[in-house]
Amino acid sequence: MTHAAARAIAAAVLALGVLTPSLAQRDLDAPERPGEFHFARMIYKDLPRYRRFGGGWWMQDWPDSEEHFTQGVSRLSRIDAGSPVSVGLTDDNLFDYPWLYVTQAGYWDLSDEEIALLREYLDRGGFLIADDFFGPAEWSVFREAMTRLFPDRPMVEIAGDDEVLHVLYDIDKFTQIPGLRHLRRFGGSVSVQRLPPPEWHGIYDDDGRLMVAANYNQDVGDAWEHADDAYYPEPMTALAYRFGLNYIIYAMTH
């Protein structure tokens, strides 16, 4: 993709925030707007040592992240995007959504029942995106859950020629996508604080279908959430939208 095209995506994205309702206006039980795609966010319990005051870590960046991204999907593609939803792994509606997003995957505490249901969901064609977890301690928590989920399948780095990186946009630069908390302003410029190197990992089925995509040392959800914030760097917002749209189209066609 050319730089001009990336800037065009970001320009469209930056206009999204004017329609975004506040957290107080959103309700987990709000009526669902129909569509062929719904941003489905996973609800989970926190590990006791990571419990968050005032709500679980699964809610991080909710609801602005999905509201902005869903509007971006409608503007930047022909996908009929319905309203975002939040769903637990024991919810019967889980299997209605082929695309499932989990944030702060280094803090979750999944029961054996939830692990079994998540495996069934993925084996039946579901697609999981794990996002916003950093460093060895959070990786260890995430990796332990993946080992319980698929003890027979390795987690590997997603290669640059993988179809998920080229199904719509060609993503050939693995630029780090930071959280807003990782940015520092110096005069009129914005820089990213020193972070561990970005990594993209995945788990594949026997046919080579990507079932789990892990954005490690990344915060793609923050780039969606702050798409209307001039403080957040435009190239990183544009890249986050390209990743997200590639993930959706891959999930809906594989």
Side-chain angles (χ1 to χ4, degrees):
M1 172 175 287
T2 66
H3 182 65
R7 289 187 66 84
I9 289 175
V13 166
L14 291 174
L16 301 178
V18 296
L19 299 178
T20 302
S22 68
L23 179 62
Q25 293 172 309
R26 286 297 310 278
D27 187 332
L28 285 172
D29 298 318
E32 186 177 303
R33 184 176 69 254
E36 63 182 341
F37 164 77
H38 296 270
F39 186 119
R41 175 186 289 260
M42 182 198 295
I43 300 172
Y44 62 83
K45 292 182 179 178
D46 298 343
L47 280 168
R49 66 181 180 273
Y50 290 133
R51 271 190 195 140
R52 181 186 187 191
F53 178 76
W57 281 108
W58 70 267
M59 297 180 68
Q60 182 77 2
D61 304 329
W62 178 89
D64 288 349
S65 183
E66 45 259 69
E67 288 289 351
H68 282 166
F69 183 56
T70 295
Q71 293 177 59
V73 169
S74 296
R75 292 189 182 206
L76 302 172
S77 75
R78 295 183 180 180
I79 296 171
D80 178 18
S83 58
V85 297
S86 298
V87 60
L89 293 174
T90 59
D91 191 320
D92 290 340
N93 295 326
L94 172 67
F95 295 93
D96 293 337
Y97 309 112
W99 191 95
L100 184 64
Y101 172 85
V102 59
T103 189
Q104 302 288 339
Y107 295 158
W108 62 4
D109 186 15
L110 301 184
S111 68
D112 290 342
E113 180 187 13
E114 288 173 317
I115 287 287
L117 287 166
L118 181 57
R119 174 152 186 164
E120 180 183 358
Y121 168 82
L122 296 170
D123 282 340
R124 288 171 58 178
F127 186 82
L128 175 69
I129 301 98
D131 187 42
D132 194 5
F133 61 115
F134 291 78
E138 294 179 28
W139 172 257
S140 177
V141 171
F142 174 72
R143 184 60 184 264
E144 186 273 338
M146 293 299 100
T147 301
R148 291 168 60 206
L149 180 67
F150 287 115
D152 53 337
R153 299 192 182 281
M155 180 175 291
V156 298
E157 288 198 45
I158 296 176
D161 61 351
D162 195 290
E163 186 180 357
V164 75
L165 301 178
H166 304 280
V167 66
L168 176 62
Y169 298 109
D170 287 320
I171 300 174
D172 54 10
K173 291 185 178 179
F174 288 84
T175 303
Q176 191 154 45
I177 302 174
L180 189 69
R181 64 192 181 279
H182 302 129
L183 301 180
R184 299 291 181 268
R185 189 193 301 272
F186 296 96
S189 63
V190 176
S191 64
V192 181
Q193 72 178 70
R194 189 178 183 88
L195 290 171
E199 298 179 22
W200 285 262
H201 296 267
I203 298 177
Y204 296 81
D205 68 10
D206 289 339
D207 297 319
R209 176 182 67 91
L210 183 64
M211 297 184 289
V212 178
N215 309 323
Y216 176 49
N217 294 329
Q218 309 287 325
D219 194 346
V220 174
D222 247 29
W224 296 335
E225 179 188 10
H226 298 288
D228 60 346
D229 186 345
Y231 178 61
Y232 196 93
E234 167 264 323
M236 297 171 185
T237 296
L239 181 60
Y241 273 75
R242 282 178 285 177
F243 261 110
L245 281 160
N246 273 20
Y247 284 157
I248 291 172
I249 292 174
Y250 185 93
M252 295 177 70
T253 56
H254 290 71

